[in-house]
Structure formats: structure tokens, C-alpha cells
Amino acid sequence: MDFLRRLVPNSSWGSGRGWISITVAGGSLAVVKGIIWCILDYKRFLALGPGGPPYNVFGWAVITFLIRPFTLAKQYTTWTGDYLGDDAHEEIKALPPRSGKRPTCDGIGPHRQLSQNAPEHVKESIRTLFANAAIQNPTFLETRTSGYERRNSALFTTKDFLNRHNRAQGASRLPEAVFLARGEIGHAHEDTSSHLYVSRGDARILIEKGWAERHRLAVPRHYLVKNILGVADTYLIIYAPRDETEMVALEVMLRRSITFMTGQEIDPIEWKVVI
């Protein structure tokens, strides 16, 4: 108010003209603040790097004004109240709690981990893990360009597998997520985090033990607006493994993700050498 008083002469405060001036000045200040916020938010968007939406002001505007209002607030990305009642797999239950605090994650599209990233010697192991998952199971898994990221490779069910199950009367045995994602199971990022679909019970345990958090598009099923951009409610960002012990945990998570999305049990995935 002091700022507004300086803009308007004291003699005008009691007149209609004075209040009009105050309104104009207040509106101008709000516009300036809005412009500054947009500039800073756009810079944060660019800092996340390419992935998903166009890497320009148009992509930022779509995410910010059309998508963000319907997403989870950051403080709810570790909420698991809608996953209660679904049991987790024994392998996921057996995982120890992740050590240390959670890393910082930001963004919607793209969605990235900003701290506690994997060291260089672990990066190749992550790429090998995802590649070998398809190589070891070629009858129903393959690697293609991510439909979510649109720039990096991702692990998919084969098109034939998805088409057969989509037509078959037993299609309901597969989760809705596999059809929403068009067969995409998950992918790794350059920041060394991963996005994976998991069961609701597994999602609860992984979040509670500090291994993951929800993607902000992974809104609960009871929300009025859900499955935004083809993202189901158990789409998680899996924090980057920082050493070989955490690589073992990531292998378990990827294997359980594959089983959830395909209904197929698979052998352990080799991640130390390319097959």
C-alpha cells in the first residue's frame, strides 16, 4: 500500500480518480510479477533439458497452463493413500529402505531428478540393464523410442504381444496402464533416474521405503481428471542408483515392472555386461 501511495498524490486518495489510479498501479504490479514468474519458470523448464513436449516456449506454455492445473502438487508425490489394499510382491517387500534423504525432482514434462545422480561408472550399468531386458526376452519385449519422452529409447512390450492381448478375451488380466502407455513399460534418463510402471502394492512400498515418488501426472484413480496424457496412477520416477547395491535394487524393480505390465515372470536381468 505504501508503494501505491507514492504513485498517487495524497490529495487524490479520497477521489474516484485516486482509486482508479491505485487499481491501475496494482494491476500493473501484478502484471510485472506475473511476467517475472513466467520468465523464471520458463528458465526452469529449459534447465530440465529436452523430453516430451517441444523444447521451446510453446511446450512450456502447454505444460504450464493446460496440464499443470490437473497434476499432483509436489508435496503429494509421496502420498500412497490410494494404494492401500493392494499387496506388494515379496521381492519388493524385501528391499531395504533407501539410505539418505530423497533427491530433488522437478518438472512434469520433462520430469527429472536434479540431485544425487548416479556416478559415471553406474550409468553404463543402467543402460545395459534396460537393453538386456529386451535382449533376454525377445518374444514379448523390445526397445523403441519412448512415447512419453520422444527422444530416448524405452522398454516396450512388442506390438504383436500388445495387439494379441488387446484382442483376446483375457485382455483384462493385463493392467489398464499397459494399454494407456501403448506398451511402454519404462525408460531411463540421462540424469540416471528412471520412469517405471509398477503395481499399486509395489508403488506403495517403493515410495514408503524411499526408492521412488509419483510422477506428477500419476494422479489417483478417484480424481475427476485422470490418465492425463496417457499416464496411469502408478507411474513412478525411480531414483538413480548410486552404487552396485542400488543397481541390484533397480534390477528387482525393473523385473517386477515387466511382470506387472505383461503378466510374464522373467529370469533376473543381467546388468554388468551387454549380452
Side-chain angles (χ1 to χ4, degrees):
M1 185 62 74
D2 288 341
F3 168 77
L4 298 179
R5 287 179 181 275
R6 287 195 295 271
L7 293 179
V8 183
N10 290 337
S11 59
S12 301
W13 273 82
S15 67
R17 186 177 61 182
W19 284 111
I20 291 174
S21 299
I22 292 170
T23 302
V24 171
S28 299
L29 182 60
V31 169
V32 171
K33 286 184 175 180
I35 291 172
I36 292 173
W37 181 88
C38 287
I39 291 172
L40 294 176
D41 196 67
Y42 180 52
K43 286 183 176 180
R44 285 193 292 270
F45 170 82
L46 293 179
L48 296 172
Y55 189 54
N56 52 36
V57 70
F58 174 75
W60 165 80
V62 169
I63 292 295
T64 301
F65 300 114
L66 299 183
I67 304 300
R68 190 183 294 181
F70 304 103
T71 64
L72 288 170
K74 286 184 180 181
Q75 63 265 35
Y76 295 121
T77 55
T78 56
W79 185 69
T80 60
D82 58 324
Y83 297 148
L84 298 178
D86 289 70
D87 200 19
H89 192 274
E90 292 302 319
E91 281 190 293
I92 296 297
K93 290 180 181 178
L95 290 176
R98 181 181 181 274
S99 64
K101 295 181 179 179
R102 294 181 186 273
T104 300
C105 297
D106 196 16
I108 297 169
H111 183 219
R112 294 291 182 262
Q113 180 176 325
L114 305 182
S115 64
Q116 301 182 33
N117 307 98
E120 286 297 324
H121 71 277
V122 177
K123 286 185 179 181
E124 190 60 35
S125 296
I126 300 170
R127 286 190 286 266
T128 299
L129 173 68
F130 277 81
N132 282 348
I135 293 171
Q136 289 178 225
N137 304 279
T139 59
F140 61 95
L141 296 180
E142 64 183 4
T143 300
R144 288 188 270 126
T145 301
S146 170
Y148 292 130
E149 293 283 330
R150 303 182 186 277
R151 287 173 172 82
N152 56 296
S153 63
L155 184 66
F156 283 80
T157 66
T158 62
K159 293 180 180 179
D160 179 65
F161 175 89
L162 194 63
N163 288 337
R164 280 190 286 111
H165 282 79
N166 205 18
R167 291 193 299 267
Q169 64 177 14
S172 60
R173 292 197 300 266
L174 295 183
E176 179 188 22
V178 73
F179 301 109
L180 281 172
R182 299 181 180 180
E184 184 167 346
I185 295 168
H187 54 260
H189 308 126
E190 280 299 313
D191 65 26
T192 61
S193 64
S194 308
H195 279 136
L196 291 179
Y197 275 110
V198 298
S199 72
R200 290 158 63 83
D202 286 354
R204 184 184 74 251
I205 296 298
L206 291 175
I207 292 173
E208 290 176 352
K209 288 191 173 185
W211 290 103
E213 64 185 65
R214 302 171 85 126
H215 191 291
R216 288 181 62 187
L217 291 172
V219 300
R221 294 180 184 180
H222 64 264
Y223 273 37
L224 181 62
V225 179
K226 53 184 178 295
N227 301 334
I228 307 165
L229 301 181
V231 176
D233 63 327
T234 61
Y235 193 50
L236 305 185
I237 187 168
I238 309 296
Y239 303 142
R242 297 165 292 184
D243 52 36
E244 289 201 358
T245 299
E246 294 188 358
M247 271 302 306
V248 172
L250 179 60
E251 188 276 334
V252 171
M253 289 183 261
L254 178 58
R255 189 154 36 84
R256 298 321 314 167
S257 172
I258 292 168
T259 298
F260 167 66
M261 293 287 269
T262 66
Q264 308 293 310
E265 291 287 346
I266 65 172
D267 293 329
I269 306 166
E270 173 60 56
W271 51 268
K272 293 186 177 180
V273 294
V274 178
I275 296 175

